[in-house]
Amino acid sequence: MSEESRRLTRELDTILADRSSYQLRATTASPAPSNAAAMEVVLDTAAGVTAEPRPKVRTVRVRAEPPDAEANVVKDGYQWRKYGQKVTRDNPYPRAYFRCAYAPSCPVKKKVQRCAEDSSVLVAQYEGEHNHAQSEFVSDASTSQAGTSHSLPCSISIDSLGRTITLGLTNQGSGSNETAVVGVAEMVATPEFRKVLVEEMVNFLRNDSQFMESLTTAVTARMMEKNSDRIF
DNA sequence: CGAGTTTGACCAGCGC
DNA sequence: GCGCTGGTCAAACTCG
């Protein structure tokens, strides 16, 4: 009976979590050449389900690439120090425990666990608020050479195929689910966000030797074409 | 050699 | 009181 009750509670939590999740996809019409832009943002703040105002726990669901998902790595722009790992009862994947590594006095804790239903989704639970300025944020986009110092509360990473852009959100504000969702929509629409996105894409393309090779060939061919017009 | 990670042990809370 | 579970500690280990 109690087992049945727990199962129902879990299912209810899952439904509530799915209901409050927010997804945005913008996929190009062409059938995915190497650098086609398929963009995916997954944000979930299921924390406010209970009426208790006390525990400041925010849950963020992030679709992660296999290496990150396996390592329980959620890129959110902050530095974290892992202090424990535990296998929990209702999930076959281990849960990792992190503390903020930037400031020893920072009370923020993070729990990261792969979603039992979809192993490519990481569920991160943030407890508490950072007590240091947000300027510690650095863009930790996996493709960038050096961290850019924009103040957007997220990190951007582009997967190895260039098809998926993952946003890691710090979800700094203490607002409700609705404000969080609206906040992301607004952030994506801002010129700052677009600027950072373009920079990360440029960085990605710069590091793509195949793209650079094609670009060089095309430019060379074009120059030769122009020059031959003049010479001949 | 220092910083970060891993992992088994320990502890506290909760239900029975 | 006992057992189960989640959370934390700390020694051992790894890596740059």
Side-chain angles (χ1 to χ4, degrees):
Chain A
M1 185 58 187
S2 59
E3 180 56 38
E4 180 69 4
S5 169
R6 273 197 292 271
R7 194 180 63 80
L8 289 170
T9 306
R10 261 201 311 271
E11 283 180 4
L12 181 61
D13 286 345
T14 306
I15 291 165
L16 287 168
D18 286 345
R19 215 171 72 84
S20 59
S21 69
Y22 174 76
Q23 295 202 4
L24 167 66
R25 287 168 190 271
T27 311
T28 54
S30 61
S34 68
N35 291 315
M39 180 176 158
E40 180 173 320
V41 177
V42 181
L43 166 69
D44 173 23
T45 52
V49 173
T50 57
E52 291 167 315
R54 244 321 248 148
K56 291 213 166 187
V57 178
R58 294 186 300 278
T59 304
V60 179
R61 293 155 70 95
V62 180
R63 193 171 294 281
E65 296 165 48
D68 284 352
E70 281 161 28
N72 277 357
V73 172
V74 174
K75 292 168 182 172
D76 55 16
Y78 285 96
Q79 286 190 313
W80 297 96
R81 182 192 176 87
K82 190 176 181 180
Y83 66 90
Q85 181 167 308
K86 194 90 180 175
V87 176
T88 55
R89 210 169 56 88
D90 53 351
N91 194 324
Y93 301 107
R95 175 184 294 169
Y97 299 89
F98 297 90
R99 265 194 277 259
C100 183
Y102 182 83
S105 61
C106 183
V108 179
K109 287 176 191 171
K110 179 169 84 165
K111 288 180 277 189
V112 181
Q113 192 169 29
R114 287 165 81 171
C115 181
E117 289 81 22
D118 183 355
S119 61
S120 67
V121 172
L122 287 174
V123 181
Q125 286 189 313
Y126 293 88
E127 234 179 284
E129 301 286 334
H130 290 278
N131 63 5
H132 46 88
Q134 201 182 349
S135 59
E136 277 81 56
F137 168 80
V138 290
S139 166
D140 64 349
S142 57
T143 54
S144 61
Q145 306 279 15
T148 48
S149 59
H150 303 281
S151 60
L152 288 172
C154 71
S155 62
I156 301 169
S157 65
I158 304 174
D159 77 353
S160 53
L161 295 173
R163 286 202 295 257
T164 304
I165 296 169
T166 306
L167 291 183
L169 297 161
T170 53
N171 201 8
Q172 192 69 1
S174 57
S176 63
N177 296 349
E178 287 75 16
T179 55
V181 169
V182 170
V184 171
E186 283 174 354
M187 183 184 74
V188 169
T190 59
E192 290 83 6
F193 177 87
R194 289 176 188 179
K195 192 181 164 200
V196 174
L197 188 57
V198 167
E199 282 175 9
E200 294 305 336
M201 284 178 148
V202 168
N203 275 327
F204 174 79
L205 292 175
R206 267 195 202 129
N207 292 333
D208 187 338
S209 56
Q210 218 177 345
F211 173 80
M212 289 306 287
E213 201 178 319
S214 303
L215 184 64
T216 309
T217 309
V219 170
T220 309
R222 182 76 177 161
M223 285 172 76
M224 293 295 281
E225 198 177 81
K226 289 244 175 190
N227 287 342
S228 65
D229 285 344
R230 285 180 196 162
I231 295 167
F232 305 110

